[in-house]
Amino acid sequence: AGIHCFLLAVHVLESKGDNLLAGSFAEEAGQRLVKMKHFSQASIFFQRAIDLQHQTSDCRLSCMKELLGCLIELREYSTSLGVLSSMISDINDKTGPYSTLRKECEETQLLLILLLKPNKRQLLPPLVSLLTRYTNRPLLDDITDKDLLLHSLVISIDERDYTSIQEVVKRLRSLLNPVQQKILHVMYEENSLHHSLN
């Protein structure tokens, strides 16, 4: 019943032209559904909040992060790549904390590409560029442990070096956020299964 009340509130506020408040109600409904582990329904509310809050980038980015968490739980990985691309587009050239968020989005995209293993010709140019960046030896300027481990992961998967994959995953896990950890876990399971079948 509570969710239906949120739905009604969103509809009424939207009809009155108060999209910002309607979006806030939609986001709160999504958050409550996540607590109940109703990720599919929650993702609908988060998407509605994103659509309603198109003029406030911070609110949109917050909702997109929450939508991403739902999609990863639902294993909708291709859709997740699209959400991350939208987040990066919204961030654009913003600096400060946005630079950290942008890098986090790119790292998550990389992990999803490693999980999905799409043909390069199926990837959009920014994703091809991202994969190439982590395939090439990292530049020493501002390099982090995480960058080096992600580079090692890309190379190990490309070379099907399962012993190295296992070692890199072990060291990388603690450096990732919860969403990235979930993707890494599934990716590792997929590679382990492939290895055991060969």
Side-chain angles (χ1 to χ4, degrees):
I3 297 303
H4 288 297
C5 290
F6 275 103
L7 194 58
L8 180 61
V10 170
H11 178 71
V12 170
L13 288 165
E14 190 179 354
S15 66
K16 289 182 176 180
D18 195 344
N19 287 357
L20 191 60
L21 190 54
S24 296
F25 269 92
E27 183 179 12
E28 190 172 341
Q31 290 166 343
R32 292 190 181 207
L33 285 162
V34 165
K35 285 179 183 176
M36 294 186 281
K37 299 195 182 299
H38 297 327
F39 299 111
S40 184
Q41 290 172 284
S43 67
I44 294 168
F45 276 98
F46 288 134
Q47 185 59 63
R48 192 77 201 103
I50 292 163
D51 294 339
L52 288 164
Q53 296 175 331
H54 60 90
Q55 293 179 325
T56 52
S57 62
D58 282 0
C59 293
R60 272 174 56 82
L61 285 167
S62 172
C63 290
M64 281 194 271
K65 279 184 79 172
E66 292 179 290
L67 173 60
L68 178 66
C70 291
L71 293 173
I72 296 302
E73 290 288 350
L74 295 166
R75 298 196 172 212
E76 294 186 19
Y77 302 125
S78 295
T79 309
S80 299
L81 269 176
V83 171
L84 287 159
S85 293
S86 295
M87 289 177 73
I88 290 169
S89 176
D90 272 27
I91 293 165
N92 204 3
D93 295 324
K94 293 176 182 172
T95 55
Y98 293 103
S99 301
T100 304
L101 179 57
R102 182 191 180 93
K103 191 162 194 320
E104 196 174 279
C105 288
E106 289 176 342
E107 291 163 355
T108 309
Q109 282 184 320
L110 178 69
L111 291 170
L112 284 167
I113 292 168
L114 295 177
L115 170 59
L116 293 169
K117 295 187 176 75
N119 187 304
K120 269 195 177 182
R121 282 174 291 185
Q122 296 174 311
L123 289 173
L124 294 170
L127 296 178
V128 174
S129 174
L130 174 68
L131 184 58
T132 302
R133 199 165 81 228
Y134 279 96
T135 303
N136 296 336
R137 186 179 294 277
L139 298 173
L140 293 178
D141 298 343
D142 299 323
I143 195 73
T144 66
D145 287 347
K146 193 196 288 187
D147 291 327
L148 287 170
L149 287 167
L150 286 168
H151 167 70
S152 298
L153 185 63
V154 172
I155 300 304
S156 299
I157 288 174
D158 190 49
E159 295 178 353
R160 298 183 182 181
D161 182 347
Y162 298 104
T163 303
S164 293
I165 292 171
Q166 186 176 26
E167 184 59 35
V168 172
V169 165
K170 195 184 300 181
R171 293 172 61 193
L172 182 61
R173 189 179 290 117
S174 64
L175 302 176
L176 303 179
N177 65 37
V179 166
Q180 292 171 338
Q181 286 176 352
K182 284 181 187 294
I183 300 167
L184 184 73
H185 177 71
V186 177
M187 187 211 70
Y188 178 66
E189 284 187 332
E190 293 278 335
N191 278 281
S192 297
L193 177 63
H194 182 78
H195 179 47
S196 65
L197 292 174
N198 285 295

